Amino acid sequence: MFGDQLVPTPCKVVARRDENSDTSTLTLAAPSQWFPGFRPGQFMMVYARGVGEIPLSISGDPTHADHTVVHTVRAVGAVSRALHEASIGDIVGVRGPFGTGWDLDSAKDDLIVVAGGVGLAAVRSAVLEAQACGRFRRVVLSVGARRPSDLLYRPDLDTWSRGDLVDLELSVDVAEPDWQGHVGFVTQSLNRLVLEPGRTTVLLCGPEPMMRMSARTMIGQGVERENIRVSLERNMQCGTGVCGHCQLGELLLCRDGPVVDYRAAEPLLAVKEL
Ligand SMILES: Cc1cc2nc3c(=O)[nH]c(=O)nc-3n(C[C@H](O)[C@H](O)[C@H](O)COP(=O)(O)OP(=O)(O)OC[C@H]3O[C@@H](n4cnc5c(N)ncnc54)[C@H](O)[C@@H]3O)c2cc1C
Ligand code: FES
């Protein structure tokens, strides 16, 4: 845990990379504290001074322990814009990590990871861990984006597209010049997959319609609901299971989520956020 559960630790922005026009990846360092480590899929509450605090997935490499934590933020409102615009040397507040993770230890031999938009931030750490642990027979990463220029983590995508462990499938809604890949929904790529459903675990993160459609496609291919995991996002405040802000059905998503299995998620994905 960085600092107290409720009091942010001041961290300095020590690196930033623009992923695309509205999304950047920030590396944050605590001055005198070793980051305690995290499970892929967990999130931190990140505070932009004088603006507010939001949950952000930890998008860094879980196998690389030091005093830094990495987040990828898409500017959609006041707080995320302030963080997206942070410069090297700026101070932001960080507390966490919070929530459940993807739990790769209990995953089956074949891992299918499906991410849409900034949802890739929440699964990047899982893909890096899967690569490092060498336990998986096969890892498929299916990524959807609006346009090719919106794709995150270009260096990773280049590496994964060349590697032998990760089968990378990229889909965009709208092509741009030079785009050689697939145009359409990620579910179209998923439909083409040949898989052994009993040996497959699926991780989903992205817009809720995408997760619903992807889950249905995987169920249609024979994967059991209990082997499909989704990351659910709702507004969060305390992050510690106290304020009730993130309640969805019977779950407090900061504590019981964000990653839940599809048996629990399926009825909840129909519930709109107030
Ligand atoms: C567990 C968890 C992990 C997250 N991880 C990331 C991450 O790694 N990177 C990242 O960029 N964002 C992530 N988010 C979403 C991020 O927290 C929101 O974008 C942020 O709270 C918006 O706050 P704001 O003040 O900038 O905008 P607001 O003013 O609160 O919202 C601006 C607009 O964005 C919409 N919006 C708000 N929250 C979301 C959301 N969760 N998804 C889609 N639209 C939303 C609002 O409806 C509104 O239209 C995560 C959310 C959760 C719950
Ligand atoms: S954010 Fe307060 S209970 Fe989940």
Side-chain angles (χ1 to χ4, degrees):
M1 181 70 51
F2 251 4
D4 185 89
Q5 277 209 328
L6 294 175
V7 180
T9 297
C11 291
K12 189 182 280 188
V13 179
V14 292
R16 59 161 290 140
R17 190 182 68 228
D18 286 324
E19 301 288 349
N20 59 40
S21 58
D22 63 7
T23 307
S24 53
T25 295
L26 306 176
T27 304
L28 311 174
S32 59
Q33 203 184 329
W34 195 259
F35 182 53
F38 67 99
R39 298 192 297 277
Q42 287 193 297
F43 69 94
M44 308 287 279
M45 296 299 296
V46 185
Y47 174 63
R49 281 207 290 195
V51 189
E53 190 183 46
I54 57 171
L56 291 177
S57 305
I58 305 169
S59 61
D61 184 348
T63 65
H64 176 77
D66 64 7
H67 62 299
T68 64
V69 60
V70 178
H71 290 291
T72 301
V73 60
R74 181 154 87 95
V76 297
V79 184
S80 51
R81 179 154 294 108
L83 292 170
H84 167 59
E85 289 171 355
S87 304
I88 290 179
D90 285 354
I91 301 292
V92 301
V94 178
R95 61 191 175 91
F98 298 116
T100 57
W102 296 109
D103 189 18
L104 292 192
D105 289 345
S106 67
K108 296 189 177 286
D109 305 335
D110 296 346
L111 196 63
I112 300 194
V113 184
V114 186
V118 78
L120 186 54
V123 295
R124 178 177 182 256
S125 56
V127 175
L128 292 172
E129 184 172 287
Q131 242 182 334
C133 76
R135 176 174 92 65
F136 291 97
R137 199 173 63 142
R138 179 188 188 199
V139 179
V140 176
L141 174 61
S142 184
V143 177
R146 282 167 298 180
R147 290 177 295 269
S149 52
D150 288 328
L151 285 165
L152 309 179
Y153 311 127
R154 287 291 185 152
D156 288 341
L157 298 181
D158 287 346
T159 307
W160 291 330
S161 68
R162 286 193 304 268
D164 22 327
L165 178 70
V166 177
D167 294 339
L168 180 65
E169 304 266 351
L170 300 177
S171 305
V172 297
D173 300 338
V174 182
E176 287 168 341
D178 298 334
W179 177 249
Q180 311 280 327
H182 178 250
V183 180
F185 293 125
V186 286
T187 41
Q188 291 167 319
S189 307
L190 296 179
N191 262 320
R192 289 196 301 269
L193 283 179
V194 177
L195 49 87
E196 284 185 53
R199 298 183 73 174
T200 299
T201 294
V202 181
L203 316 183
L204 302 174
C205 189
E208 292 189 359
M210 184 220 83
M211 292 200 287
R212 261 197 309 269
M213 284 166 55
S214 301
R216 282 181 197 153
T217 304
M218 291 289 94
I219 292 165
Q221 297 229 38
V223 181
E224 299 284 349
R225 284 169 172 76
E226 68 193 70
N227 295 320
I228 299 175
R229 300 169 189 176
V230 304
S231 182
L232 295 177
E233 293 190 358
R234 285 297 181 272
N235 283 340
M236 292 187 182
Q237 277 191 357
C238 68
T240 60
V242 173
C243 74
H245 218 79
C246 63
Q247 182 157 9
L248 186 60
E250 292 183 352
L251 304 180
L252 290 175
L253 285 181
C254 68
R255 183 194 65 193
D256 308 321
V259 178
V260 299
D261 85 35
Y262 202 63
R263 289 170 301 188
E266 190 171 24
L268 301 176
L269 277 170
V271 179
K272 286 247 179 285
E273 188 167 4
L274 295 174

